[in-house]
Amino acid sequence: MQVVSSFIPFPPIAIMANILQADGLVLDKCEHYEKMSFRNKYCISGANNPNQLSIPLVNGRNQRNTMASIAISNTEKWQQQHWRTLTSVYRQTPYWEYYEPSLEDLYTRKFEYLTEFSLASLNWVVKMLKVKLNITETTEYLSNYAADYLDLRKVKPGNLKFAPGTFPEYYQIFKDRIGFLPNLSILDLMFSEGPMTKNWLETHAQQIHAV
C-alpha cells in the first residue's frame, strides 16, 4: 500500500500510524493550500489546554496557491516562539533530553517554504524512529489515485475526531490536570514513549486508523 498525503508538519499520531504502515509515501506539492487543515499547524499538549502551533504564511492563510509555492513568513519569529512553547511543555517528559539536541536544529535553520519545513520535520521523525520509508513528491496534481493508494489529503482536524475512551492512552504530562488528549502531534507521543514509539504505533495502528 502507498499513502498519498499533504505536506504536514509533525503529523498527528493517527496519520503517522498510517504512514508507517505504508510501502511508500507520496507527498503532494501540486495540490492547493487549504486553510483549516493540518498543512501549517500541529497540536501539542499544554498545562491547561491543547496548544496549536501555527506556521505563519506570506499572504496569510486565505490563499489558493499550490503547496510548492506557499512561503513562510519569517518576520514573525515563529520558530523561536514554537521552540519556547515546546521547551515549556515538554522539558519534564521522559524523553525530552533524548530528542532535544537534534530537534532544536529545525528551529534554528531558516526555511523559506512551508513544504521545506514539513518535509524536514517528517524526515526527523522517520530518522528518530529508525524507520525505512520511501518518500516521493508529486510532479502533477491528481484528484484520484488507484485503489492500492490510501489518500489522506482530505483528512482535516474536524473529521479526525475520536470518541472519549476510543484512543489508546499513553503517558501525558498534564493528564492529571486536563485529562488525556487524543491524537496530538507525533511529538507528544515521542516525548513520552521515546524509542518505543514505533512499537506503540504498530500495536495500536488499527485502533487509530485515520480514515
Side-chain angles (χ1 to χ4, degrees):
M1 179 192 70
Q2 300 279 327
V3 165
V4 182
S5 174
S6 304
F7 281 79
I8 301 173
F10 297 113
I13 294 169
I15 289 181
M16 201 67 218
N18 282 268
I19 290 174
L20 294 189
Q21 291 182 83
D23 299 316
L25 172 64
V26 180
L27 294 174
D28 193 351
K29 68 179 181 182
C30 300
E31 68 170 357
H32 284 79
Y33 174 82
E34 292 185 25
K35 62 182 181 180
M36 307 297 290
S37 70
F38 293 113
R39 289 168 178 80
N40 77 316
K41 61 179 68 71
Y42 52 106
C43 189
I44 64 170
S45 186
N48 299 302
N49 295 289
N51 272 317
Q52 182 170 276
L53 301 180
S54 298
I55 301 167
L57 308 176
V58 174
N59 300 322
R61 65 177 188 168
N62 295 312
Q63 52 187 302
R64 292 286 294 169
N65 295 318
T66 60
M67 283 295 295
S69 64
I70 302 296
I72 295 174
S73 176
N74 284 306
T75 60
E76 301 183 40
K77 297 183 178 180
W78 65 275
Q79 287 169 290
Q80 182 179 349
Q81 295 167 3
H82 285 205
W83 184 248
R84 284 177 176 172
T85 302
L86 287 169
T87 302
S88 175
V89 171
Y90 291 115
R91 61 188 171 191
Q92 300 299 323
T93 55
Y95 289 95
W96 169 257
E97 292 183 356
Y98 182 82
Y99 293 121
E100 179 186 10
S102 59
L103 181 60
E104 187 175 13
D105 176 64
L106 296 181
Y107 294 91
T108 55
R109 264 194 285 156
K110 183 177 180 180
F111 296 90
E112 184 176 357
Y113 292 99
L114 182 59
T115 54
E116 293 175 344
F117 180 77
S118 297
L119 181 58
S121 73
L122 179 61
N123 282 332
W124 180 85
V125 171
V126 168
K127 181 180 180 181
M128 293 299 106
L129 298 185
K130 296 183 168 72
V131 173
K132 291 184 178 180
L133 180 65
N134 180 34
I135 301 175
T136 59
E137 299 178 17
T138 59
T139 57
E140 62 177 339
Y141 175 74
L142 297 177
S143 58
N144 295 292
Y145 281 80
D148 57 340
Y149 282 78
L150 177 64
D151 192 344
L152 299 179
R153 293 175 297 175
K154 297 301 181 183
V155 176
K156 296 183 178 181
N159 58 24
L160 190 53
K161 302 279 188 183
F162 292 87
T166 61
F167 198 95
E169 295 191 10
Y170 56 90
Y171 169 78
Q172 287 183 343
I173 193 167
F174 299 114
K175 178 182 174 181
D176 291 344
R177 185 183 302 180
I178 61 175
F180 180 79
L181 302 174
N183 202 36
L184 296 176
S185 164
I186 188 63
L187 286 173
D188 189 80
L189 180 61
M190 292 176 70
F191 290 136
S192 292
E193 295 292 323
M196 294 301 295
T197 298
K198 179 175 179 289
N199 290 338
W200 190 98
L201 290 169
E202 292 173 345
T203 299
H204 299 290
Q206 296 306 313
Q207 294 174 265
I208 57 175
H209 208 265
V211 292

